[in-house]
Amino acid sequence: MYIEHQGNCESCFSSLLENIKRGPSCERVAVRVGVYSHVDKNISVPQRFDRALMACNSARSDLVSNLAFYDGKMHEAEVFNDRLLEDIDRALEQKQFKVYFQPKYEIRGDRPVLHGAEALVRWKHPEFGMVSPGIFVPLFEKNALILKLDRYVWREAIATEKKWKDEFGFALPVSINISRMDVYEAGLEKELMSIVRENDLLPEEVHLEITESAYTDDSTQIVDVVERLRKDGFKVEMDDFGAGYSSLNMLAAMPIDVLKLDMCFVRHICDNPKDLRLVKLMIDVAHDMAITTIAEGVETKDQCDLLRRSGCDAVQGYYFSKPLPPEEFAGLLEKESAARR
Ligand code: C2E
Ligand code: CA
Ligand code: CA
């Protein structure tokens, strides 16, 4: 609604709510309202609505009704996001994005064995310092800019893997993150294949992490894409399993190689027997389907031991290491190559 200024917007909201509740079977409808008041007349009407929507999205959804205002803090966040959107092209040109690597350890045997690494991007912004992907990835996912950034990361990550293969004599599979939007890009397989070939690696030596929520969007299309990628030789991991609305029967329909259990499960396995049982169940179901399992967000020895006893194949998390810049990660490879000799 675009309403002329009328002093008290709380009372306007209450009467709106009363009217809504009078509708047939509307007693239990939850209403959230976002307000952009003191309108800056220099900005367009759609932008004014965007600001109201931003406020609305910040309103708590667990209450029956809630009213939120676009405020100074939201304005700051908006200005910050606009800056990041403006800066991305220059940042790509100037290589401000840094690819870090977090090790993945197989825990089936007597000693944990380094068996992979996940490539995770960071932005070394000249003004804001290190910016975490948790801030800019969701922003770029809304604008399709993620397509550009992902390709940059894939190239960097795969070229680094090749460099390590030459230096240490073995290929450590690197996982790259594939955004939901990438899955719908025609030519995804060709693109990935050409990066792999340019670097003289095999597709088997590259893992693709696709977030669970992408699988629920349009399952027929994603099954198609994943099947083609696996036919080419890539290993596909279902990322963040259990964070969204996944169901175990989705596993049966999805042609994947690795199931990556979300950190929300791992967090409470030591003190919540139900979570532990759920993790065990998921590991068993995955194994029945010849899918291997990795748990992410493992922070303590107890969590790692419990996961090993539950049959989990591999772990990733701060217990072993946080994501590292490539120079530091090379130290782990050196140790691993000495242990293999
Ligand atoms: P993700 O793919 O689920 O990556 C795992 C995140 O968990 C990483 O956060 C990692 O640093 C963090 N993490 C690892 N071990 C632990 C632990 O023991 N405890 C806790 N609390 N956290 C741990 P990060 O690097 O901030 O990345 C956040 C998300 O941003 C990623 O979640 C991924 O969805 C996205 N992302 C990162 N790099 C890329 C990229 O190159 N492309 C795309 N499309 N997304 C990316
Ligand atoms: Ca991931
Ligand atoms: Ca994940």
Side-chain angles (χ1 to χ4, degrees):
M1 289 187 294
Y2 200 72
I3 309 174
E4 213 173 315
H5 179 70
Q6 43 182 276
N8 185 347
C9 95
E10 274 88 352
S11 69
C12 175
F13 174 53
S14 336
S15 67
L16 177 75
L17 199 62
E18 261 165 45
N19 281 317
I20 290 174
K21 302 240 172 229
R22 262 191 234 125
S25 27
C26 285
E27 312 84 42
R28 296 177 59 211
V29 167
V31 182
R32 282 187 297 149
V33 175
V35 180
Y36 173 45
S37 50
H38 308 296
V39 165
D40 173 357
K41 297 269 171 46
N42 292 319
I43 69 168
S44 71
V45 174
Q47 259 179 307
R48 299 177 203 176
F49 277 96
D50 282 347
R51 290 186 170 183
L53 184 63
M54 203 188 280
C56 185
N57 289 338
S58 78
R60 281 173 57 186
S61 54
D62 53 338
L63 300 177
V64 175
S65 63
N66 207 340
L67 177 68
F69 290 84
Y70 179 86
D71 59 15
K73 246 181 152 175
M74 277 179 218
H75 185 63
E76 258 175 47
E78 200 188 343
V79 171
F80 181 66
N81 288 350
D82 284 348
R83 258 303 292 282
L84 296 183
L85 292 169
E86 246 172 61
D87 290 351
I88 179 174
D89 283 326
R90 195 175 332 119
L92 285 168
E93 273 164 35
Q94 298 180 353
K95 297 200 156 220
Q96 289 170 12
F97 290 101
K98 305 289 170 203
V99 181
Y100 277 41
F101 295 86
Q102 187 175 35
K104 296 179 174 187
Y105 284 89
E106 201 186 79
I107 53 166
R108 278 182 302 214
D110 303 339
R111 77 168 182 101
V113 177
L114 180 67
H115 88 140
E118 177 176 7
L120 292 157
V121 68
R122 273 96 186 85
W123 186 347
K124 204 169 169 193
H125 194 283
E127 197 174 313
F128 308 132
M130 265 316 187
V131 185
S132 125
I135 293 174
F136 59 83
V137 164
L139 183 68
F140 295 160
E141 278 175 337
K142 281 192 210 136
N143 295 279
L145 289 170
I146 193 68
L147 299 176
K148 270 196 215 177
L149 178 66
D150 275 347
R151 275 144 195 79
Y152 176 90
V153 175
W154 301 343
R155 287 191 174 280
E156 289 288 311
I158 293 173
T160 308
E161 180 180 339
K162 164 67 176 159
K163 192 173 147 252
W164 287 335
K165 187 178 181 179
D166 291 344
E167 201 173 329
F168 298 102
F170 64 96
L172 185 82
V174 165
S175 312
I176 49 179
N177 285 289
I178 308 287
S179 290
R180 181 184 287 107
M181 222 177 256
D182 296 309
V183 175
Y184 299 102
E185 277 294 289
L188 171 71
E189 307 115 79
K190 265 197 194 151
E191 242 177 317
L192 287 168
M193 199 54 128
S194 84
I195 304 177
V196 168
R197 290 224 176 96
E198 275 165 34
N199 286 285
D200 208 10
L201 286 176
L202 301 168
E204 289 78 354
E205 293 166 339
V206 174
H207 286 215
L208 311 175
E209 294 194 8
I210 305 180
T211 182
E212 167 213 87
S213 59
Y215 293 85
T216 45
D217 284 354
D218 175 353
S219 52
T220 40
Q221 171 144 13
I222 193 152
V223 167
D224 256 22
V225 176
V226 169
E227 263 172 358
R228 286 205 301 270
L229 289 165
R230 289 182 74 224
K231 231 180 241 159
D232 285 342
F234 292 102
K235 297 276 179 257
V236 176
E237 304 196 7
M238 189 191 279
D239 201 0
D240 311 317
F241 187 77
Y245 299 100
S246 42
S247 65
L248 281 176
N249 69 10
M250 192 162 90
L251 280 185
M254 292 302 161
I256 53 162
D257 301 280
V258 183
L259 186 69
K260 212 169 171 189
L261 300 172
D262 191 71
M263 54 183 95
C264 66
F265 281 116
V266 175
R267 197 164 299 141
H268 301 294
I269 49 168
C270 293
D271 43 57
N272 186 347
K274 277 189 184 160
D275 274 15
L276 180 61
R277 280 177 60 186
L278 214 53
V279 165
K280 277 187 181 154
L281 179 70
M282 289 187 290
I283 293 171
D284 287 345
V285 173
H287 284 170
D288 265 354
M289 294 175 186
I291 296 170
T292 58
T293 51
I294 177 163
E296 63 180 331
V298 177
E299 296 183 350
T300 66
K301 180 172 188 307
D302 287 352
Q303 289 172 341
C304 186
D305 289 345
L306 214 46
L307 285 161
R308 180 194 285 117
R309 272 186 263 132
S310 309
C312 190
D313 302 286
V315 296
Q316 177 183 347
Y318 298 163
Y319 172 56
F320 282 108
S321 166
K322 59 185 198 315
L324 301 171
E327 317 77 72
E328 276 179 53
F329 193 93
L332 298 180
L333 282 162
E334 214 167 292
K335 261 199 229 154
E336 183 59 30
S337 100
R340 286 185 185 199
R341 261 186 253 124

